Amino acid sequence: MNINISDVFFQMRDLSQSFLYQVLIIFILLDVFTGVGKAIIQKRLNSGIGIKGLLTHIFVVVIQTLVSLYCRVLGTVFFSQAICVFFIGFYGISLFENLNFIGVPLPDSFKKYFEQMHNRNIQIPNADIVIKSHQTNSIDIE
């Protein structure tokens, strides 16, 4: 099967109108803004971490764009949609964690899961170690 570059460019317009692609871009932008807000609240703004995060987001967008374009040309759109939903899920989790940390009111059903993630104790069987994780990104080992 030959793929013409003109087919790829034609699919680019269709991709920009894709609902899932638009949701992914919106979630990435919201994650960036809430991540910066979280860093400000924590008083941990760091340009190195910020640039690394932005490069990661750009990499995700580039990968999703390339995969989506070629999947559309090859007629396997479902594969690109599955990858897009995967990324949306992870960005959604990150977004809710950031919103929870910033103090945005969330439904109790969401909040209880995030509190569990931040306030859990891990006990290793047959060991004298208990790891306690705190929301302040510190860990106590007893």
Side-chain angles (χ1 to χ4, degrees), residues 49-67:
I49 293 172
I51 290 172
K52 181 182 172 191
L54 286 175
L55 290 175
T56 302
H57 298 313
I58 290 169
F59 180 73
V60 167
V61 170
V62 168
I63 291 297
Q64 181 61 46
T65 302
L66 291 174
V67 167

Side-chain angles (χ1 to χ4, degrees), residues 26-138:
I26 290 169
F27 270 44
I28 289 173
L29 291 174
L30 290 173
D31 185 53
V32 168
F33 291 128
T34 58
V36 169
K38 180 179 174 182
I40 289 170
I41 289 172
Q42 289 180 325
K43 297 181 175 131
R44 300 179 91 191
L45 279 175
N46 184 326
S47 63
I49 293 172
I51 290 172
K52 181 182 172 191
L54 286 175
L55 290 175
T56 302
H57 298 313
I58 290 169
F59 180 73
V60 167
V61 170
V62 168
I63 291 297
Q64 181 61 46
T65 302
L66 291 174
V67 167
S68 294
L69 289 175
Y70 282 103
C71 283
R72 288 172 186 279
V73 170
L74 296 172
T76 56
V77 177
F78 175 75
F79 182 70
S80 71
Q81 290 172 341
I83 293 172
C84 195
V85 168
F86 172 78
F87 283 133
I88 289 169
F90 277 103
Y91 277 105
I93 291 170
S94 177
L95 179 62
F96 280 123
E97 286 175 344
N98 291 343
L99 290 172
N100 185 39
F101 187 86
I102 291 171
V104 173
L106 296 174
D108 290 336
S109 59
F110 285 129
K111 206 165 188 175
K112 79 175 181 183
Y113 291 111
F114 293 110
E115 287 176 7
Q116 286 178 356
M117 284 189 239
H118 293 293
N119 297 323
R120 70 176 157 196
N121 297 334
I122 302 171
Q123 188 158 8
I124 301 171
N126 300 325
D128 294 332
I129 298 174
V130 176
I131 301 172
K132 294 183 178 181
S133 176
H134 305 286
Q135 191 171 3
T136 59
N137 293 332
S138 65

